[in-house]
Amino acid sequence: MDEGNRSSVTELLLLGFPNATGCKAIAFFVIILIVYILTLMTNIMVIVLVTIKPQLHSPMYFFLQQLSFVESMFLTVIVPKMLHVVWLEGATISITGCITQTYVYCAIGCTECHLLTVMAYDRYLAICNPLRYNIIMDLRLQHHLVVYCWVFGFLLTQITLNFLCQLEFCGPHVIDHFFCDPIPFIDLSCSYKFALKLEIMIISVPIIVIPFILVIISYTCVCLTILGISSAKGRKKTFSTCSSHLAVVIMYYGTLMTIYTVPANGYTLPINKLISFLYIVVTPLFNPIIYCLRNQEMRVIMEKIFRKDKQ
């Protein structure tokens, strides 16, 4: 191939949802916008409540507050451009913009994986080692763990960013998706991609596999401890403190693994877009709702707030 044509492509076309045209596109745009606003509002509500309510000043709620912030950032990286794509029924994005979106998407996703692991460790300490919980999980350790999640997420994916910046694109320039999903984006490049794909496979171990294993180990220990509680009331109360987090973990890893374990050619299938939509847009909405509905302290605080508004 002529070297002068290797970098001729400077923009990519995101097809979005080709079947959603005309009135369907407008309706879909409105639905996404409403879900986006609701998700931001519920996450902001969690952040504010944990900040201003003294009874929520505990490690579990501190990590929940951080999770709400991470998911708000995660949504904001994808949804605004997604709305643009849906409204125009397909829109272009620069190579630089696509690389930036891919990097930040992966970095925040990595941060969330590790934050969920930290939350699982917090529940393990609280239930399996309650006498030393407050001593171990002090404010200093909480802040260190959160900083670790952010720094590790962005530094580890910096390796992928370095590879992405070296890619060249000479056509085709169409991504059958609503955002710059890493796999279909990389497949468009005409550069040698083996090293990049090998690097992604290797760093997926500390990003996804190890955190998932640690979460499973933590909750296995938690479940064994709960089963050892003599009273049924005690078992129910203890399980209720971690069931909401367990539900969030199942939703998050379930959709994540479904997306990135399908064959590469499955990325053009509508079902894959649907799963990606659930993972990126719907799951972040359900997470704060699950925590608010299943957590008694959060429920009581919200009920008091709503009663005051009605008076």
Side-chain angles (χ1 to χ4, degrees), residues 31-185:
I31 291 171
I32 297 171
L33 182 60
I34 291 173
V35 171
Y36 178 52
I37 294 172
L38 284 175
T39 305
L40 287 182
M41 288 176 62
T42 51
N43 279 304
I44 290 171
M45 179 188 68
V46 170
I47 293 170
V48 171
L49 286 178
V50 173
T51 301
I52 66 175
K53 296 296 181 179
Q55 58 267 49
L56 299 181
H57 290 175
S58 67
M60 182 177 74
Y61 294 110
F62 173 73
F63 293 130
L64 172 59
Q65 181 187 53
Q66 298 303 312
L67 180 64
S68 295
F69 178 72
V70 169
E71 293 198 327
S72 298
M73 294 289 293
F74 185 78
L75 266 179
T76 304
V77 169
I78 303 295
V79 175
K81 183 62 181 179
M82 178 184 176
L83 289 168
H84 182 225
V85 171
V86 172
W87 182 259
L88 296 179
E89 299 176 16
T92 59
I93 184 172
S94 67
I95 297 294
T96 302
C98 208
I99 290 174
T100 302
Q101 188 183 62
T102 300
Y103 167 65
V104 179
Y105 163 79
C106 293
I108 295 179
C110 175
T111 301
E112 184 164 358
C113 284
H114 284 262
L115 186 57
L116 288 172
T117 307
V118 166
M119 294 174 74
Y121 173 65
D122 173 71
R123 290 300 84 207
Y124 161 77
L125 282 179
I127 294 171
C128 301
N129 200 355
L131 297 179
R132 298 190 60 205
Y133 173 66
N134 290 326
I135 298 173
I136 298 173
M137 192 58 72
D138 59 7
L139 192 60
R140 183 169 175 268
L141 180 59
Q142 294 171 42
H143 290 163
H144 283 180
L145 288 172
V146 169
V147 170
Y148 154 78
C149 291
W150 281 100
V151 172
F152 188 80
F154 277 82
L155 283 183
L156 190 60
T157 47
Q158 180 71 38
I159 303 171
T160 305
L161 176 63
N162 293 335
F163 278 100
L164 290 175
C165 291
Q166 297 174 21
L167 294 179
E168 295 179 321
F169 296 86
C170 46
H173 69 292
V174 177
I175 299 180
D176 189 7
H177 219 309
F178 54 83
F179 77 108
C180 289
D181 195 325
I183 302 301
F185 171 55

Side-chain angles (χ1 to χ4, degrees), residues 179-197:
F179 77 108
C180 289
D181 195 325
I183 302 301
F185 171 55
I186 293 168
D187 285 341
L188 285 182
S189 172
C190 51
S191 301
Y192 181 67
K193 301 181 283 283
F194 176 77
L196 174 55
K197 290 188 175 182

